Amino acid sequence: MTSLRGLPPRLPGAGFRGFSLLPLAISFVVLVCLSLLAIQLWMTLRAREVQLSEAARESANLAQAVAQHASDTIKEADTVLVGLVERVEIGGVSDLELARIHKLLVTRVAELPQLHGLFIYAKDGSWLVNSQKTLLNNLNNSDRDYFKYHQTHAGRGPYVGPPLRSKSTGDWIVTVSRRINMPDGSFGGVVLATINMNYFRLFYERFSIGEKGAIFIANGAGILLLRRPFDESLLGRDISQFPVFHDYLPKSPVGTAVIRSGVDGVMRINSYRRIEEYPLVVSAALSQDEVLASWWFDTVIQNMVGGVLVLLIAFIGYRVVRQIDLRVKSEAGLLEARNELELINETLARLANQDGLTGLANRRHFDQSLSAEFSRAQREESALGLVMIDVDFFKQYNDIYGHVAGDECLRKIGKVMAYSMRRPGDLAARYGGEEMVVLLPGTDLVGTLAVAEGLRDAVQSMVIAHTGNPLGVVTVSIGVAAFVPVHLKNQAVELVELADKALYKAKASGRNQVCYESACESAEQLATAFAFR
């Protein structure tokens, strides 16, 4: 028989106490890949958020700078206007006074680069004096928006008007004006400062806002004064219904929002501020696509690297899982092979101890069992019985019916003997040829005789035809022996010899009977046994 000690019960790593590592390995690889993808996604979204946040701060700072510049520019011009209003209202507009004012205006325009010109208009709109070196006559500005405004508004504050072309030079200008009152408080005229649009354009062009960034300044009514990128057709356009004015300024004078432009449709990060002192609104906006361009590039690179890493881990994980799967299958195959080998070994062991014809134990098995049971009977001082059976006239049966029928006859007798073995320790075996034996542990002579007689009767009761037997059916002769073996005194062969002698006696006495032999028997046993002879 092949030994199984060299076969491992389980391959290392294939499982522990029946638990397979394959599902765990697959789950681990999937979890690692999903975790890497989740981390990559989080980092990507976080980088986008940081990029947008930095852009929002940049646009807010830009809006603050633009607002401060606009406020300072207009304040310088307005300061000049305040002095002019006071001088006209107190000193009047005599020719001498106007001459002195003219020199002052020329000097102020030369000192302030943002100023395009300074003008004083009478209450009918005619030109009283201005900053031009050569005064122009016969011009009237009563049709201008700023003139009409002060004519109908008694307020003394500054008014920032819509952009327009200068009548004197034809340049685009932004106007800042104040009202002049007569001594009785009635309308007395207008003082005007014009700011060259190019001054703002040059300042705005210093900022790096990308190709799609935008900066604009508008008055409080939502009239566009200037915008970068510059488009002359947009000057003076009403943008009061655009999101900055319509949706955001009513809620807060300062803020930042992502807004799609109503001018060119570009999505921008827009920071806006209202300058309450002059009423103006400024806005600085950065294109969201341009802001996120570097983020997109980094995202593509990172995702490519991350994707390669995930694929590499997935591939390695697949290979590991594949190896585990193969090892598990190998283990299953080895276990199956071991079970088959055990089954084969059991079959071989059974075949090695079994008679191929009758299905009973063979001579080898009988000899081993006899030796073991004899030794145990000696230790336990218990009786051991042996029944030896021989088929009567079996040679004649084979001659008459053939060896095939003879084999079938022996198989039928073997089935009777196997069926008669009621105790686990009893053993029925084929001893050789047509001889069979029954080993009965723990059974005295009386019990052994009873078993023998039952077997004899059972065989005869099968009524197997046998014309070579005087009785016309197959019968058996049985020899019985039983005794309590004594250690160092008796040997197992003695039991066989006694049974064989008894069998010879049964055949010599006419067959189809049970005879016994015993080395030591009580009177009661002999009397009982006599009935079986």
Side-chain angles (χ1 to χ4, degrees), residues 22-39:
L22 184 59
L24 181 62
I26 294 175
S27 300
F28 176 75
V29 172
V30 172
L31 180 62
V32 169
C33 292
L34 291 179
S35 298
L36 288 176
L37 291 175
I39 292 173

Side-chain angles (χ1 to χ4, degrees), residues 37-358:
L37 291 175
I39 292 173
Q40 183 69 33
L41 177 61
W42 179 84
M43 291 178 62
T44 300
L45 295 178
R46 178 60 181 166
R48 183 179 187 275
E49 181 181 344
V50 170
Q51 193 81 6
L52 292 176
S53 178
E54 291 178 353
R57 285 196 297 270
E58 183 179 347
S59 66
N61 292 335
L62 186 59
Q64 173 65 27
V66 172
Q68 188 65 48
H69 175 265
S71 177
D72 292 343
T73 299
I74 294 176
K75 188 175 184 64
E76 288 177 343
D78 187 46
T79 301
V80 175
L81 295 183
V82 171
L84 290 176
V85 169
E86 181 180 4
R87 189 158 186 168
V88 170
E89 289 181 347
I90 296 175
V93 290
S94 65
D95 291 340
L96 181 61
E97 185 65 23
L98 290 177
R100 291 202 305 241
I101 292 176
H102 177 256
K103 293 180 180 180
L104 176 64
L105 296 183
V106 173
T107 302
R108 287 288 182 267
V109 170
E111 292 175 345
L112 299 176
Q114 69 267 36
L115 289 181
H116 175 267
L118 294 170
F119 304 85
I120 300 177
Y121 303 105
K123 64 180 179 179
D124 60 355
S126 61
W127 290 27
L128 293 177
V129 67
N130 57 54
S131 58
Q132 296 171 351
K133 293 182 179 181
T134 301
L135 296 177
L136 299 178
N137 297 320
N138 302 321
L139 293 179
N140 192 287
N141 279 36
S142 61
D143 60 335
R144 293 297 196 182
D145 175 79
Y146 56 83
F147 193 90
K148 293 178 179 180
Y149 176 84
H150 290 299
Q151 203 173 30
T152 58
H153 291 77
R156 304 303 304 273
Y159 173 73
V160 179
L164 49 83
R165 285 190 181 276
S166 171
K167 287 186 176 182
S168 59
T169 64
D171 297 329
W172 279 100
I173 58 175
V174 174
T175 62
V176 181
S177 57
R178 280 183 177 266
R179 172 184 169 118
I180 300 174
N181 281 348
M182 300 297 287
D184 61 358
S186 61
F187 178 67
V190 174
V191 292
L192 173 72
T194 59
I195 301 175
N196 196 324
M197 199 75 74
N198 281 328
Y199 179 78
F200 288 105
R201 287 181 59 185
L202 292 174
F203 180 75
Y204 293 164
E205 287 173 357
R206 298 176 187 173
F207 295 106
S208 177
I209 59 175
E211 294 182 0
K212 296 182 179 180
I215 299 174
F216 77 74
I217 179 170
N219 65 15
I223 303 301
L224 185 65
L225 303 181
L226 181 65
R227 183 179 185 272
R228 176 190 170 188
F230 181 75
D231 185 352
E232 186 173 316
S233 64
L234 296 177
L235 299 180
R237 181 177 179 179
D238 185 356
I239 59 172
S240 60
Q241 296 304 310
F242 283 13
V244 170
F245 283 88
H246 186 268
D247 299 328
Y248 293 98
L249 278 173
K251 299 177 182 178
S252 174
V254 179
T256 300
V258 178
I259 303 172
R260 186 174 297 280
S261 172
V263 175
D264 53 21
V266 176
M267 187 70 74
R268 294 186 175 94
I269 302 170
N270 197 314
S271 293
Y272 57 89
R273 300 182 72 89
R274 182 188 293 277
I275 305 173
E276 297 293 346
E277 185 177 0
Y278 294 104
L280 294 173
V281 174
V282 298
S283 170
L286 302 176
S287 168
Q288 183 171 264
D289 290 342
E290 291 182 342
V291 168
L292 294 178
S294 61
W295 171 81
W296 274 113
F297 179 78
D298 293 341
T299 296
V300 171
I301 298 300
Q302 291 174 3
N303 286 341
M304 289 177 61
V305 174
V308 171
L309 180 60
V310 169
L311 289 177
L312 180 61
I313 292 176
F315 175 75
I316 295 175
Y318 167 77
R319 296 293 299 174
V320 171
V321 169
R322 179 70 175 168
Q323 290 299 318
I324 292 176
D325 186 37
L326 291 176
R327 297 187 72 176
V328 169
K329 290 180 179 178
S330 298
E331 178 192 12
L334 287 175
L335 288 176
E336 183 178 356
R338 185 180 69 176
N339 293 335
E340 291 179 356
L341 184 58
E342 288 178 348
L343 182 61
I344 291 172
N345 287 335
E346 290 176 359
T347 302
L348 290 175
R350 185 173 65 254
L351 292 176
N353 293 319
Q354 188 179 52
D355 177 63
L357 178 63
T358 62

Side-chain angles (χ1 to χ4, degrees), residues 367-382 384 439 441 483-496:
D367 291 341
Q368 292 175 347
S369 298
L370 175 63
S371 177
E373 294 296 341
F374 197 85
S375 298
R376 185 167 67 175
Q378 286 179 329
R379 292 193 304 272
E380 298 177 357
E381 297 181 354
S382 61
L384 181 62
L439 184 63
F483 62 87
V484 178
V486 179
H487 185 58
L488 299 179
K489 180 179 179 181
N490 299 114
Q491 294 182 354
V493 68
E494 296 179 24
L495 185 64
V496 177

